[in-house]
Amino acid sequence: VAYHTAYLKANYPAEYMAAVLTHSQSNLESVTFHIEECRSLGIKVLGPHVNESGVYFEVNKEGQIRFGLGAIKGAGDAAVEAIIVERDLKGPYEDIFDFAKRLSMRAVNKKTFECLALSGAFDCFTGIHRRQYVFAKDGDINLLEKAIKFAAKTQQDEQSAQASLFGGSTGTVMPKPKIDFVEPFSEIEKLNLEKEVVGIYISGHPLDNFKFEMDSFCTITCNQLNEIEPLLGRELKLGGIVSGVEHRTTKTGKPFGKFTVEDYSGNYTFTLFSEDYLKFKTFMNIGWFLFIEGAVIKNNWGQMNIEYKIRNIDLLNEIGVKRSKGVQLRVSTREITKDLIGKIEGVCQEYSGNTPLYLKIRDEQENINLELLSRKFRVNPVNDMVKKMKKVGELDVEVVF
């Protein structure tokens, strides 16, 4: 069995991982872990898609794994089956109105429409973003409700086969409802809604905006902390987003709290008592991005359990500024041009801060290395700055701590 499994993963990685994800579909932590494994293998995992998804995880024509409609909370088995059967019989859905018109409301109700829209399953319909489906002006109904009413009226006219002002067998075709303009969801709003209706982040992860901080400062993952005994005595640093919080009181009336931190690998729950709780409770807010420092110790009381003892908590977005001693740009003399210098200055102006900027120039022919400190610019070493600076040209960007 092990040989067969290894063969399938090596020769049919996308199909193998789709099967593994389908098998784990009811366990969201396991799905999250396997999605990260797919990304490490270079396999894209795409969100649900009403014109491409099956019930379970499947591989599309491009060799990418497509999320199954059956994984969407609140969609309903009958609704998913009806969507796929209709699509297989009469082809892809053209837009939200065609989708509503072709499906019976007995199988696909308003709740299903909302779950599909917020999960991204309607993103294949060009020209409409997720927020437009659920946005409603004062005193009006949203686009999903308009589509459902439009479909009901159209179906009624077709069934009655009577000419009317709005359509029928010989009348004018009923116009589609107007789509109101509204600003799209922010990236973090979109991801949070995905997690709400699917249970996990699909199109990305909130921590993607902190990749620099995670890669530079963190030494442990949540998943590794769940196997804590081998870590005894080690100083560890963890970054993540707060996904759960509890403020409670002991039987003797003393306050304590629990908070769960989530990263790419999984999640870990911390319990804080007495002074630690009072010291760190201001950081216990769902949606906050935290950088946690501490050590794995053995308690000298009770059952002498092993725990991760928190020593300090900071906001993850402030770590780069607080801990960085400088930003170094390494570049070869043959690559230096007026255009490159202009682009570097543009990034420095956009991310102006207090951290020194160094330029390390190397001349391969003369075997000379020169380090220069910028007197004009100081920068703010955040994730976006590092990413933009790397895109400027053939630059090697390093943050010194």
Side-chain angles (χ1 to χ4, degrees), residues 337-351:
T337 63
K338 189 174 181 180
D339 179 61
L340 178 66
I341 293 171
K343 288 179 180 178
I344 291 174
E345 289 185 345
V347 177
C348 291
Q349 289 169 350
E350 184 179 355
Y351 295 94

Side-chain angles (χ1 to χ4, degrees), residues 80-343:
V80 170
E81 185 179 351
I83 292 167
I84 295 171
V85 168
E86 172 64 23
R87 184 185 72 202
D88 290 344
L89 284 173
K90 299 181 182 178
Y93 302 102
E94 295 177 7
D95 54 28
I96 185 63
F97 305 108
D98 181 53
F99 179 85
K101 187 173 68 173
R102 287 167 56 181
L103 294 164
S104 167
M105 285 302 296
R106 288 191 295 272
V108 185
N109 57 29
K110 180 186 170 185
K111 177 67 175 174
T112 303
F113 273 76
E114 290 177 353
C115 293
L116 291 170
L118 296 177
S119 70
F122 291 150
D123 287 0
C124 53
F125 301 145
T126 56
I128 309 176
H129 57 73
R130 298 183 197 183
R131 194 175 183 187
Q132 285 177 298
Y133 288 109
V134 295
F135 171 79
K137 288 184 177 179
D138 292 340
D140 198 3
I141 59 177
N142 64 34
L143 177 58
L144 293 177
E145 293 172 295
K146 288 177 181 177
I148 292 169
K149 286 193 171 186
F150 168 83
K153 176 63 177 171
T154 304
Q155 289 169 354
Q156 182 183 352
D157 287 352
E158 288 176 353
Q159 288 170 2
S160 64
Q162 293 177 352
S164 70
L165 180 63
F166 296 103
S169 57
T170 58
T172 306
V173 176
M174 189 169 79
K176 294 177 181 178
K178 179 186 173 185
I179 300 172
D180 295 320
F181 171 79
V182 61
E183 289 293 328
F185 288 122
S186 67
E187 194 61 27
I188 191 68
E189 286 176 323
K190 187 170 77 171
L191 290 171
N192 286 335
L193 287 166
E194 283 180 1
K195 186 165 187 183
E196 187 178 321
V197 297
V198 180
I200 61 172
Y201 302 112
I202 305 172
S203 57
H205 196 286
L207 289 173
D208 291 343
N209 292 325
F210 301 95
K211 185 168 175 54
F212 157 67
E213 288 84 356
M214 296 289 288
D215 292 344
S216 302
F217 297 101
C218 299
T219 60
I220 197 74
T221 66
C222 290
N223 199 42
Q224 290 171 317
L225 269 183
N226 285 306
E227 301 291 332
I228 201 167
E229 284 194 31
L231 305 173
L232 184 61
R234 288 180 56 184
E235 286 277 339
L236 302 169
K237 298 171 184 178
L238 175 75
I241 181 174
V242 179
S243 58
V245 171
E246 292 181 50
H247 296 279
R248 301 171 66 179
T249 306
T250 65
K251 293 179 181 178
T252 57
K254 293 181 180 180
F256 75 99
K258 293 183 178 183
F259 70 103
T260 300
V261 173
E262 180 178 325
D263 65 7
Y264 293 104
S265 70
N267 60 69
Y268 186 80
T269 299
F270 296 92
T271 303
L272 300 178
F273 295 97
S274 55
E275 292 181 3
D276 287 341
Y277 173 70
L278 296 175
K279 182 179 178 182
F280 298 122
K281 71 175 183 178
T282 53
F283 291 97
M284 296 168 59
N285 293 282
I286 291 176
W288 280 32
F289 298 92
L290 303 182
F291 177 70
I292 301 168
E293 299 173 278
V296 178
I297 63 167
K298 180 179 282 188
N299 292 322
N300 56 8
W301 47 270
Q303 298 180 353
M304 301 182 71
N305 293 325
I306 296 174
E307 69 164 337
Y308 181 75
K309 177 76 172 176
I310 295 177
R311 175 170 44 84
N312 182 61
I313 299 179
D314 272 312
L315 294 177
L316 193 58
N317 64 321
E318 295 179 354
I319 290 300
V321 178
K322 286 184 176 181
R323 309 289 176 95
S324 301
K325 295 179 181 177
V327 175
Q328 291 182 346
L329 307 182
R330 292 191 180 92
V331 63
S332 172
T333 52
R334 58 184 171 78
E335 295 162 356
I336 297 176
T337 63
K338 189 174 181 180
D339 179 61
L340 178 66
I341 293 171
K343 288 179 180 178

Side-chain angles (χ1 to χ4, degrees), residues 357-380:
L357 177 70
Y358 298 90
L359 188 63
K360 300 190 79 171
I361 303 173
R362 63 184 181 276
D363 187 327
E364 287 86 356
Q365 288 185 337
E366 300 293 333
N367 195 25
I368 295 173
N369 289 288
L370 184 65
E371 182 174 310
L372 303 173
L373 170 65
S374 173
R375 297 184 181 277
K376 184 178 180 181
F377 296 109
R378 283 179 170 252
V379 295
N380 185 9

